[in-house]
Amino acid sequence: MATSGAVVKKIKKAKVAQTHAGLVRQARRINRELAEVYPYAHPELDFENPFQLLVATVLSAQTTDLRVNQTTPALFAKYPTPEDMAVADPETLEQILRPTGFFRAKAKALQGLSTALRDRFGGEVPGRLEDLVTLPGVGRKTANVVLGNAFGVPGITVDTHFGRLARRFGWTESHDPEKVEEDVAGLFPKSDWTMLSHRVVFHGRRICHARKPACGACPIAPLCPAYGEGETDPEKAEKLLKYEKGGAPGQRLKPPPDYPGRPAPPLAAS
């Protein structure tokens, strides 16, 4: 959805609200607008149970969700449970994980967390943040992803996209993920946290990119204090759009039914 040239010329960079009450109003309006733009926002990792989501989220470090989704079908076919993964042959596990990068460290983390799940949690993924963060390779970001999407426990997922947009929107000045989480949590009701995370990450991946935001094709440009950091020409900005906004496949091989884009191809077809 590109903004017309006539409208773009009239857009001015929105100011960051000076009071906390003003910032809350501005932030919640942005969230409402993002909900209109991405009514289909969802976690972009394929999973069927909490264990699969936990593993996929650990694997998503330093790679794309697409690459993880292309790798996990073979992984879960061979090791469907924590008990299976805990006793996996390390070299075989590493070879399956190779496409995700840092495969040796990731294989070690997966076997460590699988062993912990088997030995300390009866083979089940715990539904409490304080338990999840004790697992090898699991920090607050991963824990919040699992809690919000596998257990329905609200959480704010601060990845690179979320942190970048939170600073551009004026919701925080921090680069520390825990401080970003704290600052943003103070602007929204807890019930909004999980879907807010999906919407902001969707926007960061599709329109508000790190190096060159597609400002001229951004539906929330009039609300953005960072408008103008990227390409403001509508036609040029349109070419910067990614995934379904740019007419390309999404990141999931098995997206939700309401996803308007095309499924991603499997690994052999990528």
Side-chain angles (χ1 to χ4, degrees):
M1 171 176 155
T3 312
S4 70
V7 174
V8 166
K9 293 179 182 178
K10 297 179 181 179
I11 292 177
K12 295 181 180 179
K13 183 184 293 189
K15 294 181 180 180
V16 177
Q18 297 301 306
T19 66
H20 180 73
L23 185 58
V24 168
R25 287 194 297 271
Q26 187 181 57
R28 293 184 183 185
R29 184 178 176 192
I30 288 174
N31 184 36
R32 289 194 298 272
E33 292 295 324
L34 289 177
E36 293 290 327
V37 178
Y38 306 106
Y40 50 86
H42 59 270
E44 294 191 89
L45 291 167
D46 286 326
F47 70 98
E48 295 179 357
N49 56 56
F51 177 62
Q52 290 189 1
L53 178 58
L54 176 61
V55 168
T57 307
V58 170
L59 292 179
S60 69
Q62 305 299 315
T63 192
T64 63
D65 286 359
L66 169 59
R67 184 61 71 189
V68 173
N69 292 335
Q70 292 172 325
T71 303
T72 50
L75 177 68
F76 295 135
K78 192 167 185 63
Y79 310 114
T81 69
E83 291 83 357
D84 295 318
M85 200 169 289
V87 297
D89 173 66
E91 290 187 5
T92 302
L93 181 58
E94 288 175 2
Q95 287 307 306
I96 294 175
L97 300 183
R98 184 179 286 271
T100 70
F102 302 95
F103 57 92
R104 291 189 179 89
K106 290 179 179 179
K108 185 177 180 180
L110 291 191
Q111 289 207 281
L113 73 83
S114 295
T115 300
L117 291 175
R118 180 194 66 191
D119 296 347
R120 294 198 280 120
F121 298 101
E124 299 293 332
V125 176
R128 300 194 312 161
L129 186 143
E130 53 265 42
D131 291 329
L132 284 167
V133 296
T134 68
L135 301 172
V138 178
R140 286 186 67 89
K141 185 197 85 168
T142 296
N144 279 328
V145 169
V146 173
L147 289 173
N149 298 287
F151 293 100
V153 178
I156 294 173
T157 303
V158 182
D159 67 357
T160 56
H161 301 287
F162 191 97
R164 178 177 73 253
L165 268 64
R167 288 185 291 275
R168 284 179 176 169
F169 293 155
W171 298 351
T172 184
E173 295 181 353
S174 180
H175 284 76
D176 177 74
E178 288 195 30
K179 184 63 167 69
V180 173
E181 182 183 340
E182 179 185 346
D183 289 344
V184 176
L187 302 175
F188 297 92
K190 200 170 184 178
S191 58
D192 284 354
W193 289 356
T194 299
M195 285 308 302
L196 169 73
S197 299
H198 292 324
R199 293 165 190 151
V200 172
V201 171
F202 255 59
H203 194 59
R205 285 176 171 166
R206 287 151 177 77
I207 296 177
C208 196
H209 311 137
R211 295 184 180 177
K212 200 168 186 180
C215 293
C218 179
I220 66 166
L223 303 176
C224 183
Y227 173 78
E229 286 188 13
E231 180 58 67
T232 58
D233 180 87
E235 293 185 2
K236 293 179 180 178
E238 188 81 19
K239 296 177 181 179
L240 299 175
L241 301 180
K242 295 182 180 179
Y243 303 111
E244 77 282 357
K245 292 295 182 183
Q251 297 198 85
R252 292 187 68 163
L253 278 64
K254 298 179 180 179
D258 62 344
Y259 178 65
R262 289 178 283 146
L267 188 61
S270 63

